[in-house]
Amino acid sequence: MSETHEPDAPRPEETGKSHRQGPFKVGDLVQLTDTKGRHHTFSLTPGKQFHTHKGYFDHDALIGEPEGTVVRSTGGMEYLALRPLLSDYVLSMPRGAAVVYPKDAAQIVAMADVYPGARVLEAGVGSGALTCSLLRAVGDGGRVYSYERREDFAAIAERNVSTFFGGEHPAWTLTVGDLVSSLRPDEVDRVVLDMLAPWECVDAVSKVLVPGGVLICYVATTTQLSRTVETIREHGRFAEPAPFETLLRSWHVEGLAVRPDHRMVGHTGFLVTARRVADGVDLPARRRRPAKAAAELGDAWDGVVEADPVDEAEARAARIARRGDLP
């Protein structure tokens, strides 16, 4: 027979929780949706008014009201008032650099297996969109160490993160500077690289990523993808990298008129994941069988299926030499 165990003491409230539930409060973010589906996002401030070409209404009309309330402007326009989801906030927040879109941020959190209490290294921060997702995933008991080269981007990210969580997040440490030169020797469980040349940082992050940890890189072009994958593959401290992308298509549904929308969120970026292997481990050589159609080319493919033992030994020695010894 199962028993119910009550906690001995109340747990401290997670950062930002009070701004996500209950009636609207002063300082809460509110997202208004008009009858045409357009969104307007702002913070509730006593005494202020929300103005559009369709009139205005007082912020005080929403303070103390439950989510899902409908308000009417002096011009007769009705708005549905809800707290913005993180995916909504990311699309409406001020930007310095391009943001990681929700479809990719969700994949990063899931495929990197970011869990409560995890220690995550992130570089670069951009406008702070992905940072919000990482902080929410690790919770107050985890850590997110973010690195951003540009001070102006870091300032925008700080404001965006503070606005979303309603103040500073205790799990976040932001460093302005180059990752390789500023990297502290603290161990981390996950590494997320969102930068132009992540291959330049693979060796540095391999020294702080724990065995079994996940490295995930976000790149925009096929040339970046190729170089990132090959660098990880040849490094010697990571298992075989897995590259992929995510496409998102919404659907139009009106009665029996059911069809995919004419527009979709297509390519935004590629993701590459790889697991850190234990120190001193030499990975077995990968073997790939060519496509069946390649057999028609005859002797041109001879020797591809079975690797030359001499070449394989030389490649292994080269990998170990490149890897070097951990400090």
Side-chain angles (χ1 to χ4, degrees):
M1 182 175 179
S2 62
E3 295 181 359
T4 301
H5 297 276
E6 297 294 336
D8 296 333
R11 296 181 180 179
E13 187 176 88
E14 289 283 334
T15 300
K17 180 180 177 181
S18 63
H19 291 274
R20 305 300 305 163
Q21 56 185 212
F24 287 121
K25 298 179 290 295
V26 173
D28 281 357
L29 284 175
V30 174
Q31 177 178 270
L32 299 181
T33 305
D34 65 19
T35 54
K36 293 185 177 181
R38 294 172 297 197
H39 297 316
H40 308 272
T41 304
F42 59 89
S43 296
L44 284 177
T45 305
K48 288 193 68 173
Q49 295 175 331
F50 172 78
H51 286 262
T52 70
H53 67 287
K54 291 291 185 179
Y56 68 90
F57 65 85
D58 296 327
H59 287 204
D60 293 329
L62 283 175
I63 297 174
E65 296 295 320
E67 281 195 80
T69 296
V70 174
V71 291
R72 183 189 296 268
S73 72
T74 56
M77 175 65 76
E78 292 185 330
Y79 299 93
L80 174 63
L82 294 165
R83 289 185 175 93
L85 304 176
L86 176 54
S87 57
D88 298 320
Y89 176 71
V90 163
L91 299 178
S92 65
M93 69 185 191
R95 302 184 187 185
V99 300
V100 176
Y101 281 87
K103 74 180 183 70
D104 293 318
Q107 288 288 338
I108 289 171
V109 171
M111 301 306 290
D113 193 31
V114 181
Y115 54 88
R119 300 162 296 176
V120 181
L121 186 156
E122 175 200 20
V125 177
S127 299
L130 179 58
T131 308
C132 290
S133 293
L134 295 174
L135 287 170
R136 173 174 280 180
V138 303
D140 289 4
R143 296 298 304 174
V144 174
Y145 303 100
S146 300
Y147 292 82
E148 173 55 56
R149 284 182 175 180
R150 292 185 52 168
E151 191 169 351
D152 54 338
F153 287 174
I156 293 173
E158 275 190 305
R159 289 195 297 271
N160 286 335
V161 171
S162 295
T163 298
F164 183 74
F165 287 101
E168 294 184 2
H169 200 291
W172 192 32
T173 301
L174 175 60
T175 300
V176 179
D178 178 71
L179 172 64
V180 175
S181 60
S182 306
L183 185 60
R184 292 186 291 270
D186 301 326
E187 286 189 340
V188 295
D189 305 297
R190 304 291 185 260
V191 173
V192 183
L193 301 181
D194 173 18
M195 54 179 61
L196 290 175
W199 53 86
E200 296 177 351
C201 302
V202 168
D203 186 61
V205 300
S206 72
K207 298 173 183 178
V208 297
L209 184 60
V210 299
V214 180
L215 166 65
I216 187 163
C217 303
Y218 179 73
V219 294
T221 68
T222 54
T223 50
Q224 290 174 303
L225 175 66
S226 175
R227 188 162 181 181
T228 300
V229 169
E230 293 302 333
T231 299
I232 295 173
R233 183 176 287 158
E234 296 175 3
H235 185 268
R237 290 187 181 134
F238 294 94
E240 177 64 13
F244 63 97
E245 69 172 333
T246 303
L247 308 179
L248 177 64
R249 184 173 68 179
S250 58
W251 280 65
H252 170 88
V253 179
E254 291 287 345
L256 295 179
V258 180
R259 57 170 174 74
D261 282 335
H262 296 306
R263 293 183 179 182
M264 67 178 292
V265 182
H267 174 75
T268 50
F270 299 103
L271 290 171
V272 182
T273 63
R275 301 291 298 275
R276 172 73 155 84
V277 300
D279 297 335
V281 170
D282 184 34
L283 295 171
R286 297 169 58 253
R287 296 178 183 272
R288 285 179 171 170
R289 186 176 297 277
K292 292 181 179 179
E296 300 176 0
L297 297 178
D299 295 340
W301 288 96
D302 288 348
V304 173
V305 176
E306 296 297 332
D308 187 332
V310 176
D311 291 342
E312 190 173 312
E314 292 177 352
R316 175 172 294 186
R319 285 198 304 273
I320 296 175
R322 280 194 301 269
R323 184 175 65 198
D325 295 325
L326 280 171

